[in-house]
Amino acid sequence: QVQLVESGGGLVQTGGSLRLSCAASGRTSDIYAMSWFRQAPGKEREFVARFSRLPISTYYADSVKGRFTISRDDAKDTVYLQMNSLKSEDTAVYYCAAGGLVSGRIEYAYWGQGTQVSVSS
């Protein structure tokens, strides 16, 4: 089992920055990838960014590329999402997810409780 705890959400003005954190505990050695997803009111959950191991790689949704940066601190088993140049359309509940590689695909078995990010214009 893996437990994920997110933090760092809040209210920020357009153009501002926030950094989200996702601390993992438990069987963290089983984790192949940690990612951020978000869900805005009335919309489906969407992928935001991914940090994968072996080899280390990152991947971003087009909507956040160049503005958001995902990183990982192995010593703390924590993944961060640095969000810059925030826009009103970035307003959503952000979820951290962790998963393993199964038959070449990432299966996200573990999810955090979510943290609200609100961007005011």
Side-chain angles (χ1 to χ4, degrees):
Q1 287 286 342
V2 173
Q3 295 77 41
L4 303 174
V5 178
E6 301 116 331
S7 60
L11 175 64
V12 65
Q13 290 187 330
T14 299
S17 298
L18 280 175
R19 189 178 80 156
L20 305 182
S21 300
C22 175
S25 61
R27 294 178 60 91
T28 58
S29 59
D30 292 345
I31 297 173
Y32 169 76
M34 292 183 71
S35 296
W36 289 95
F37 292 79
R38 66 187 181 186
Q39 187 167 19
K43 295 187 177 181
E44 293 187 354
R45 185 175 61 196
E46 64 175 359
F47 167 81
V48 175
R50 181 178 71 234
F51 188 101
S52 305
R53 294 161 43 168
L54 305 174
I56 292 175
S57 66
T58 57
Y59 185 75
Y60 298 91
D62 288 342
S63 58
V64 307
K65 204 172 292 183
R67 300 188 298 123
F68 291 10
T69 302
I70 190 169
S71 61
R72 179 182 170 117
D73 184 332
D74 282 340
K76 297 181 179 179
D77 278 328
T78 298
V79 163
Y80 303 96
L81 185 68
Q82 178 67 44
M83 305 185 295
N84 298 329
S85 302
L86 283 161
K87 306 175 182 180
S88 57
E89 51 262 44
D90 294 318
T91 294
V93 177
Y94 284 69
Y95 297 92
C96 177
L101 198 60
V102 180
S103 300
R105 300 185 63 177
I106 300 172
E107 289 194 357
Y108 292 102
Y110 308 102
W111 293 82
Q113 80 284 359
T115 185
Q116 177 71 46
V117 171
S118 299
V119 184
S120 64
S121 56

